Amino acid sequence: MTIVDPAPLADLLGYVGAATPITTAPPVSAPSAVPSEPASPDGQPAGAGRGGAVNSVVNAVWATGGSAATDRDAALDAAFLAASARYWHPVARAADVGAAPVRAELCDVPLVLWRRPASAPGGAAGTVAALVDRCPHRSVPLSGGQVDADGRVRCPYHSWAFDGAGACVDIPQQPGQKIPDLIAARPVRVAEAAGLVWACLADEADEARPRPRFGEIEDLAWPHYVGTVQNWNGQAARQVENFCDIGHFSVLHTDTFGNDEVLAVDPYPVRRTEWTVEADYRYPSVNPVAEPGPDGRRPVGETAFQYRIELPFAVWLGGATGPSTVLFSVCAPTSATTLRLYWMAAFDPAVYGDGPVDGVGLQAVEDRIWAPDKVIVESQRPARVFAADEIHRAFDALGVAYRKALRELGFAG
């Protein structure tokens, strides 16, 4: 395990493509948004009309568009999706996949999921299957069909049946005839764990790493709650960076846990392992569910945040919902610039008991926290994190290290 000290953050610049060096002190003066230009005889900046200083801001914005930017974005998207496809990502909550086909999307690939019924033969009863959502006969989405008693999904157009391995096992229009092996839907590897259904588009030999495991749920069986799924019009890397951004707590979340009296962020070290980026931070958070006191303020208590980013897009966060708790955030890239966000919270039974988690109350609080984050991430331009020239400060250490890790894994090409 290596340690990245936040002080010499300039060492990371080669990985984040920043136009401005990272420093630990504020700049003496901020550069003008519009480059200075010599004045014309009438006192106006030279070329103040078409193409001059007045338009230089517009020109700078337009420079991010056009064919060159389109080509750049296309190349970034291709690299991002190719890298993402080698990892396991959630595609549904386990509770949302039943006997009826469910449509999902991962890395621009449409999927169909279904749970085999209890009558399914061969020990497959109750297991989840996944295929690319396309019938090879006439390219109709299989998710519009039905699952038969043997656990095969049937196309809604001609009722061709496909098993979980993608093999076509029945063509009603040609009963009794041998079906060639080439008539098949593309299978997708799928697993069910920690309240989610996970999928990997790559073959086992090509996957980058095993599926992230959440031991508190999978091994220790802590009481937990799986939250509602959210669709965001933002890049998965942006969402993870936002989730791990300490500097915005006291600005964006003052109606929940953010403390607007403490905006300064103390230095903190960042740790890197083969598949994680980690940091700990103690924050004087406000109790989001307490009633205000006589002074109109809610009580403050220290929260020990423990961040462990499971590369590329999962985060294990200890302490966020109280001592001896863990919050899991996992976002799946539905495309290069959109995502589905999954989250769950687990509670140590030695502290909180074995009773059921108050999911309604927890959901209400988390919804209030996720909402402004979603607005921010969806507003970021450029949407692609590796298309941006952005300034970084020492308190961005975790985000900078995360970007470095993604670059090393090929997400920027």
Side-chain angles (χ1 to χ4, degrees), residues 66-93:
S67 60
T70 300
D71 292 344
R72 176 207 63 195
D73 289 349
L76 284 173
D77 288 354
F80 189 90
L81 292 175
S84 297
R86 299 180 61 217
Y87 294 85
W88 287 88
H89 307 279
V91 288
R93 296 189 301 184

Side-chain angles (χ1 to χ4, degrees), residues 107-195:
C107 298
D108 273 340
V109 177
L111 305 177
V112 57
L113 315 172
W114 73 96
R115 191 177 298 278
R116 299 176 179 92
S119 56
T127 59
V128 176
L131 303 174
V132 173
D133 194 15
R134 174 185 175 273
C135 178
H137 179 217
R138 288 294 181 265
S139 300
V140 173
L142 294 169
S143 57
Q146 296 179 335
V147 176
D148 64 22
D150 291 325
R152 294 92 54 90
V153 64
R154 287 189 174 271
C155 176
Y157 195 9
H158 295 95
S159 198
W160 289 20
F162 298 86
D163 65 18
C168 183
V169 294
D170 183 38
I171 299 179
Q173 293 80 14
Q174 295 178 322
Q177 293 191 23
K178 178 177 174 58
I179 301 173
D181 292 341
L182 61 85
I183 301 179
R186 180 185 168 188
V188 174
R189 293 195 298 143
V190 67
E192 188 173 351

Side-chain angles (χ1 to χ4, degrees), residues 227-248:
T228 57
V229 182
Q230 303 179 34
N231 294 307
W232 290 26
N233 289 317
Q235 190 175 60
R238 291 283 200 190
Q239 189 279 326
V240 172
E241 190 172 73
N242 163 268
F243 188 67
C244 299
D245 184 295
I246 297 166
H248 81 289

Side-chain angles (χ1 to χ4, degrees), residues 109-321:
V109 177
L111 305 177
V112 57
L113 315 172
W114 73 96
R115 191 177 298 278
R116 299 176 179 92
S119 56
T127 59
V128 176
L131 303 174
V132 173
D133 194 15
R134 174 185 175 273
C135 178
H137 179 217
R138 288 294 181 265
S139 300
V140 173
L142 294 169
S143 57
Q146 296 179 335
V147 176
D148 64 22
D150 291 325
R152 294 92 54 90
V153 64
R154 287 189 174 271
C155 176
Y157 195 9
H158 295 95
S159 198
W160 289 20
F162 298 86
D163 65 18
C168 183
V169 294
D170 183 38
I171 299 179
Q173 293 80 14
Q174 295 178 322
Q177 293 191 23
K178 178 177 174 58
I179 301 173
D181 292 341
L182 61 85
I183 301 179
R186 180 185 168 188
V188 174
R189 293 195 298 143
V190 67
E192 188 173 351
L196 303 176
V197 175
W198 303 71
C200 182
L201 299 178
D203 294 333
E204 186 174 3
D206 295 325
E207 75 176 31
R209 63 166 294 187
R211 174 186 59 80
R213 300 189 77 262
F214 298 137
E216 287 78 7
I217 295 176
E218 297 184 53
D219 301 327
L220 303 178
W222 283 13
H224 61 278
Y225 171 76
V226 181
T228 57
V229 182
Q230 303 179 34
N231 294 307
W232 290 26
N233 289 317
Q235 190 175 60
R238 291 283 200 190
Q239 189 279 326
V240 172
E241 190 172 73
N242 163 268
F243 188 67
C244 299
D245 184 295
I246 297 166
H248 81 289
F249 292 172
S250 299
V251 179
L252 198 63
H253 295 298
T254 55
D255 65 331
T256 50
F257 71 94
N259 189 335
D260 60 5
E261 293 186 345
V262 183
L263 276 77
V265 178
D266 295 329
Y268 59 92
V270 177
R271 305 178 296 276
R272 173 71 193 277
T273 72
E274 182 181 10
W275 290 115
T276 69
V277 182
E278 305 174 14
D280 299 331
Y281 193 80
R282 293 187 174 274
Y283 177 73
S285 60
V286 176
N287 188 327
V289 297
E291 292 294 329
D295 60 354
R297 302 190 63 82
R298 287 173 285 127
V300 174
E302 187 177 74
T303 296
F305 288 103
Q306 300 169 286
Y307 287 96
R308 187 180 76 219
I309 301 174
E310 293 280 351
L311 295 167
F313 305 130
V315 182
W316 180 101
L317 176 58
T321 51

Side-chain angles (χ1 to χ4, degrees), residues 34-63:
V34 181
S36 59
E37 298 187 20
S40 65
D42 62 0
Q44 295 292 326
R50 185 175 181 178
V54 171
N55 286 336
S56 63
V57 173
V58 175
N59 293 339
V61 172
W62 281 356

